[in-house]
Amino acid sequence: MSVRPRGRKAAARDLATATRAPRRTRLAPPAERAKVVLRRLKRRFPDARCALDHEDAYQLLVATILSAQCTDARVNMVTPELFARYPGPAELARAMPSDVEEMIRSTGFFRNKTRSLIGMAQAVVADHGGEVPRTMERLRVLPGVGRKTANVVLGNAYGINEGITVDTHVARVSRRLGLTDQEDPVKIERNLMPLFPRKEWALLSHLLIFHGRQICLARRPRCGECPLSDLCPSAAL
Ligand code: SF4
């Protein structure tokens, strides 16, 4: 008896069946579950996007530096006035620290952030002709800019998927889903990168952040309404 080759639809059906089977005993491998995670989160959060208001790479870089230990909503309250007063790196590079401090005070750590913002702007002007650089290597040496911030700017302002932005939501959700067992953001990023298509990396971060903010909450995950519960080893239903 001949055996017909199985199509992609059949394989997808099998995967769905496997992932709906009793948890912890028949979960599909992470690489297979990752495909389903991405598909379902896209469907659940079709509007997932960067929550920091910005019009260009400079504005996004400033907003991302301000977002450390601060909510995106709070940053969005502060940035309109900041961008009106300092519309580009050249203006920010010449700013009086006390003026910037006053404007961004409500975002917390305002002295450090002011140092980072003005230092970043001065470096962009001095070393990059006033243009925010487009490579991880050059972004990361700017004051106040780490890998996470560089990933945000590259992925969202330039459409360059160099890595995956790992914030607290991405880290928590990825661990709960069993896509990583790491705590360190760089190691988590390294685990996630081979699981998802490169062109989706920026969107993936937004999807996991939306999911972490609305459903997979830090203290009380809403597993009962989670579209990923059948493929999550941490589901508490
Ligand atoms: S099932 Fe629960 S723990 Fe797992 S991703 Fe969904 S909300 Fe988070």
Side-chain angles (χ1 to χ4, degrees):
M1 191 175 72
S2 68
V3 179
R4 286 206 326 203
R6 291 165 52 69
R8 290 171 66 185
K9 280 188 181 165
R13 261 197 316 274
D14 281 359
L15 172 60
T17 306
T19 52
R20 257 184 239 123
R23 290 186 302 280
R24 296 183 185 81
T25 53
R26 293 196 56 199
L27 281 181
E32 290 177 46
R33 282 185 294 125
K35 288 181 200 155
V36 186
V37 165
L38 183 61
R39 194 174 66 234
R40 288 190 193 169
L41 289 183
K42 276 184 180 178
R43 205 182 306 143
R44 179 68 178 76
F45 303 109
D47 300 325
R49 61 173 188 88
C50 181
L52 293 168
D53 294 340
H54 66 281
E55 289 179 357
D56 55 30
Y58 159 72
Q59 291 190 357
L60 183 56
L61 182 49
V62 169
T64 309
I65 290 172
L66 289 175
S67 71
Q69 310 292 320
C70 179
T71 64
D72 294 343
R74 166 61 56 189
V75 172
N76 289 340
M77 287 180 205
V78 163
T79 47
E81 188 190 353
L82 194 67
F83 296 152
R85 178 93 172 259
Y86 309 109
E91 293 79 12
L92 186 56
R94 294 193 298 267
M96 289 285 292
S98 54
D99 292 343
V100 177
E101 282 177 9
E102 207 43 49
M103 268 186 241
I104 67 166
R105 180 181 287 267
S106 65
T107 68
F109 304 97
F110 60 94
R111 290 202 178 87
N112 275 343
K113 288 180 182 177
T114 295
R115 261 195 300 279
S116 295
L117 289 177
I118 296 177
M120 172 277 289
Q122 289 173 343
V124 167
V125 170
D127 304 332
H128 303 286
E131 290 284 322
V132 173
R134 292 170 175 262
T135 67
M136 173 65 71
E137 198 183 18
R138 292 180 178 178
L139 276 167
R140 280 192 60 183
V141 296
L142 298 174
V145 179
R147 184 172 176 87
K148 184 176 114 186
T149 298
N151 270 332
V152 172
V153 172
L154 289 171
N156 295 283
Y158 291 141
I160 298 170
N161 284 301
E162 179 68 29
I164 296 173
T165 305
V166 177
D167 75 344
T168 179
H169 300 291
V170 174
R172 180 182 71 257
V173 174
S174 302
R175 271 197 304 272
R176 284 180 177 167
L177 284 168
L179 302 178
T180 181
D181 57 1
Q182 299 292 331
E183 298 283 337
D184 175 64
V186 175
K187 291 180 183 167
I188 293 172
E189 184 184 358
R190 225 176 275 147
N191 283 164
L192 294 180
M193 284 161 72
L195 298 179
F196 296 92
R198 185 171 192 145
K199 65 181 170 58
E200 307 279 19
W201 286 352
L203 176 62
L204 173 71
S205 289
H206 301 316
L207 291 169
L208 292 174
I209 290 168
F210 269 56
H211 186 60
R213 283 182 174 154
Q214 296 181 33
I215 296 177
C216 193
L217 309 179
R219 295 205 177 164
R220 288 186 181 209
R222 297 173 173 156
C223 302
E225 56 190 88
C226 177
L228 309 177
S229 59
D230 59 318
L231 23 113
C232 177
S234 312
L237 296 173

